[in-house]
Amino acid sequence: MAQASGFEHRRPQRPDGMGRGAMMALLIHLGLLIALAFGVSWRSSEPTGSSAELWAAVPQVAAPAAVTPLPPPPPMPKVEPKPEPKVEPKVEPPPPPPKPDTREADIAIEKAKAAEKEKREELERERLEREKMEQLKAEKLEREKAAKAEREKIDKEKREAAAQAAAEAVRDAKLREENLKRMLGQAGATGAPQSTGTAQRDAGPSASYAGKIIARVRPNIVLTDSVPPSLRAEVEVRAAPDGTITGRRLIKSSGNPTWDDAVLRAIDRTGELPKDDNGRVPSSMVIGFTPA
């Protein structure tokens, strides 16, 4: 093994007769193999530290390596200074003219708008007032028209009632006049004053038959209001021979529509008259009904 001391150290030769040169060759080959293995391993993995022992037959000291002088650096290029850009003088724009004072104009415009708005509102109020007055006027005319129609209807009903009453009065007067003539012309007749026959003897109902009819009809009289007991309604009643009532007519009103209607409805409810003493039922008769 070579030492740095500069003197040779001799080893005794091995008993097998291998010389020093063979050993050195073997070690060199071994070092090459190790270097080759480490070179391959360095390409596939991270390099690791390694060591090798070199054996030389004669220790030699290496001479200092020759120093190659470095070439001189290339000259630096001369940098020309850039010319400064020419700066044009900045021209300031003229200041804008002062804004005119528009406050008075704005105030005038606002006043004009307010006046216009007030005028429109006033016109709208007047229009609504006119419409309201026209509506009230139309409603008043409608009420007056309805009242006038109602008055005309009442007047018409009154005229019709008066005409009917006058016609009934004329008919009653005529009937009384005819009865009076028959009574005066038949002094010896035995018929009742209201008899319309011309025979000497009354072939009509007996004197008590009217009471029978009243007794039959009175239970069917239904009154909803009280009436004076002095009222009297005369009704002409017509009947079939078997007593079935075929018609009735108010000859003389009592002056109270409630009592007249009650009597007529009672006759309708009765439906059939009783027979007289002779077993017959007169075909027509006039009967007076009073509340008492």
Side-chain angles (χ1 to χ4, degrees):
M1 184 177 180
Q3 300 291 334
S5 60
F7 61 88
E8 183 178 355
H9 177 73
R10 294 183 181 271
R11 289 187 180 182
Q13 293 185 356
R14 296 189 181 187
D16 53 1
M18 180 180 296
R20 188 183 300 271
M23 179 63 70
M24 290 297 294
L26 180 60
L27 291 175
I28 291 171
H29 285 84
L30 181 60
L32 291 174
L33 291 175
I34 291 173
L36 181 60
F38 274 104
V40 175
S41 176
W42 173 79
R43 294 181 179 277
S44 60
S45 63
E46 295 181 0
T48 56
S50 62
S51 62
E53 295 182 356
L54 298 178
W55 296 84
V58 178
Q60 296 179 356
V61 178
V67 177
T68 304
L70 295 175
M76 295 295 292
K78 186 177 181 181
V79 178
E80 296 291 337
K82 292 183 179 181
E84 294 183 1
K86 186 177 181 181
V87 178
E88 297 290 338
K90 185 177 181 181
V91 179
E92 296 291 338
K99 294 183 178 179
D101 189 2
T102 59
R103 287 178 296 175
E104 295 183 359
D106 294 339
I107 293 173
I109 292 173
E110 291 296 330
K111 288 183 178 180
K113 289 182 178 179
E116 183 67 22
K117 181 180 179 182
E118 184 177 358
K119 183 177 180 181
R120 289 197 302 269
E121 292 177 352
E122 181 66 23
L123 293 175
E124 182 67 16
R125 286 193 296 269
E126 292 177 357
R127 185 183 65 80
L128 294 176
E129 188 68 22
R130 287 196 303 271
E131 291 181 354
K132 184 177 180 181
M133 294 299 295
E134 290 175 358
Q135 183 178 1
L136 293 176
K137 185 177 180 181
E139 292 177 355
K140 182 179 179 181
L141 292 176
E142 189 68 22
R143 288 194 299 270
E144 292 178 353
K145 184 178 180 181
K148 182 178 179 181
E150 184 67 21
R151 288 194 300 270
E152 291 178 353
K153 180 181 178 182
I154 294 173
D155 293 342
K156 182 179 179 181
E157 292 177 352
K158 288 182 179 180
R159 289 194 299 271
E160 292 177 352
Q164 184 178 359
E168 291 179 355
V170 172
R171 187 171 58 250
D172 293 343
K174 185 178 180 179
L175 182 60
R176 286 193 296 270
E177 183 179 357
E178 291 176 355
N179 290 336
L180 182 60
K181 288 180 180 180
R182 284 195 299 270
M183 291 173 63
L184 293 176
Q186 300 175 0
T190 59
Q194 68 272 18
S195 175
T196 59
T198 57
Q200 188 72 22
R201 183 173 295 277
D202 190 4
S206 62
S208 62
Y209 187 61
K212 292 181 180 181
I213 295 177
I214 294 173
R216 175 68 66 85
V217 175
R218 186 175 293 279
N220 295 323
I221 296 177
V222 179
L223 288 174
T224 57
D225 297 326
S226 60
V227 295
S230 60
L231 299 178
R232 177 182 175 83
E234 295 182 359
V235 182
E236 179 187 4
V237 181
R238 297 184 298 276
D242 61 351
T244 302
I245 297 175
T246 58
R248 85 282 190 283
R249 181 168 62 92
L250 184 66
I251 298 299
K252 183 179 180 180
S253 173
S254 65
N256 189 314
T258 302
W259 175 247
D260 296 343
D261 293 341
V263 171
L264 294 175
R265 287 195 298 269
I267 293 173
D268 294 337
R269 293 190 187 97
T270 301
E272 185 179 352
L273 298 177
K275 293 181 179 181
D276 200 357
D277 296 338
N278 56 9
R280 293 183 300 175
V281 177
S283 60
S284 177
M285 68 200 76
V286 177
I287 306 171
F289 293 90
T290 60

